Amino acid sequence: FGILEAMLDYEFYHYLPVTDDAMDWGLYLTGAGRGRIPARQNYPPTGHPSLYQFDWRRGRTLPEFQIILITEGKGFFESEPTGRRTIEPDTLILLFPGVWHRYRPDPATGWRERWLSLNGQFVHRLMDRRLLRPVEAVCRPGEMSQIVWRFDRILDSIHRKPAENSILLSFRGMDLIAEAIEQTSGVALPSAAPPSQRMDGVEDPMVAE
């Protein structure tokens, strides 16, 4: 276990190619990364595309969703729906398309972050059902090891195959979102329809069963 943990401790970020097929899957990843921001280091680090760069004074607005996991250090987050919030270790930050926000580590401590950028109809439907809400952009998972494991599984897949934006990545992104919703809201994702509703119109008792 110690060897696997060390292998997953590298720092990197990568932006994925997005194909028409990926968009048709309902959820697709656009980028991911992991890093440790030392105390008193400028944030965010340079080198990211202009879409993702920002400074604390202006903040930014994204056209997609992001999930950010802070496991060490402290910092600050602010958006129009949440106001200014203090970020402690073991916190999830959710960024929503079209919602102004800004965040940064505390210069005295820095922080350790994992992040995932994603989009698609699946995530927008979760917003429509109010399972993801901009006013609840800062949350604390009940079981951090499950969230970290899911994050690292996605990051390791991207690191090994950086040119591949497969349906497997989409499934793992859905799995991460489902776990985050269940742990932070205490509810499971709803099924497409209640069983009684799905059985309407089925006359054959064997088929209904």
Side-chain angles (χ1 to χ4, degrees), residues 65-78:
F65 297 85
Q66 276 196 359
I67 306 175
I68 305 165
L69 176 63
I70 305 301
T71 55
E72 298 175 14
K74 297 181 179 182
F76 309 98
F77 173 82
E78 184 176 354

Side-chain angles (χ1 to χ4, degrees), residues 130-131 136 139-143 177-190:
R130 300 177 64 79
L131 290 168
E136 298 172 346
C139 44
R140 303 291 296 276
E143 179 53 62
I177 292 173
E179 182 71 23
I181 290 174
E182 187 167 7
Q183 286 204 36
T184 57
S185 66
V187 299
L189 291 176

Side-chain angles (χ1 to χ4, degrees), residues 3 28 32 43 46-47 75 88 95 127 141 151 153 171 182 186 192:
I3 295 175
Y28 55 92
Y43 189 85
T46 59
E88 302 287 341
L95 306 181
M127 280 190 67
F151 248 109
R153 184 171 60 164
F171 288 159
E182 187 167 7

Side-chain angles (χ1 to χ4, degrees), residues 20 31 55 64 67 74 78 128-129 134 138 142 156 158 163 185 191:
D20 290 340
D55 63 48
E64 61 188 6
I67 306 175
K74 297 181 179 182
E78 184 176 354
D128 293 341
R129 289 174 175 261
V138 178
D156 187 47
I158 293 173
S185 66
S191 59

Side-chain angles (χ1 to χ4, degrees), residues 13 15 36-38 41-60 66 68 101-105 111 113 115:
Y13 66 85
Y15 294 93
R36 191 187 306 271
I37 311 301
Q41 177 175 300
N42 291 335
Y43 189 85
T46 59
H48 293 271
S50 58
L51 172 66
Y52 299 96
Q53 286 291 347
F54 70 100
D55 63 48
W56 176 258
R57 291 170 298 174
R58 294 194 302 268
R60 73 175 177 190
Q66 276 196 359
I68 305 165
H101 61 269
R102 59 183 180 177
Y103 58 93
R104 67 179 180 186
W111 69 24
E113 65 181 14
W115 59 269

